Amino acid sequence: MNPQELKYNASHEWVGMSTEDGSDVAVIGISDFALEQLTDLVYMALPEVGASVQAGEEFGEVESVKAVSPLYSPVSGEVVAVHSELVDKLDQLAADPFGEGWIIKVKLADGASLDGLLDREAYQKQCGES
């Protein structure tokens, strides 16, 4: 996915949109900035396919040698895919955060949850100020 075309949560998750089987599906991952801050990932907890997620609520966590960071969903809906291979290949997150580093796919319950997300420029500005 092109980082310039994605939307971002203030808590460093990105979301890209696609259409699968006629439904709007959000592909969610962690930003390159967050991965640079975390470094040396050691563990990741992911939801199950079929789980419901709510915008702004925790859906999993990632642990590095520095800290444990919750993962917050940028959108509301049903988890339709989980990139479970990441659990054993955490280096894939940092190697390709906007491609092979995707974490979950969510069938949108409400497209309005995308409205409060940041564009790339606003997200980078936030990262520079934090």
Side-chain angles (χ1 to χ4, degrees), residues 112-127:
S113 57
L114 295 168
D115 294 343
L117 300 176
L118 305 170
D119 62 18
R120 180 75 175 172
E121 183 179 342
Y123 174 71
Q124 287 181 313
K125 184 177 178 183
Q126 172 205 278
C127 293

Side-chain angles (χ1 to χ4, degrees), residues 11-130:
S11 55
H12 307 292
E13 295 81 10
W14 58 259
V15 57
M17 294 305 300
S18 67
T19 301
E20 295 182 17
D21 298 327
S23 298
D24 291 331
V25 173
V27 182
I28 299 169
I30 306 171
S31 76
D32 50 349
F33 175 82
L35 291 166
E36 288 171 14
Q37 298 299 308
L38 287 168
T39 68
D40 300 326
L41 301 178
V42 295
Y43 174 77
M44 174 175 259
L46 300 175
E48 298 288 327
V49 171
S52 293
V53 295
Q54 297 296 316
E57 293 188 5
E58 189 175 327
F59 72 83
E61 65 183 26
V62 62
E63 181 177 345
S64 73
V65 294
K66 293 169 137 182
V68 176
S69 297
L71 300 171
Y72 296 100
S73 182
V75 298
S76 298
E78 177 187 350
V79 177
V80 293
V82 175
H83 196 177
S84 56
E85 294 174 8
L86 284 179
V87 173
D88 296 322
K89 298 178 181 179
L90 291 171
D91 56 331
Q92 202 171 36
L93 274 171
D96 190 12
F98 301 108
E100 291 301 312
W102 68 273
I103 298 173
I104 61 172
K105 295 182 180 181
V106 175
K107 183 178 174 182
L108 286 186
D110 178 7
S113 57
L114 295 168
D115 294 343
L117 300 176
L118 305 170
D119 62 18
R120 180 75 175 172
E121 183 179 342
Y123 174 71
Q124 287 181 313
K125 184 177 178 183
Q126 172 205 278
C127 293
E129 293 174 349
S130 61

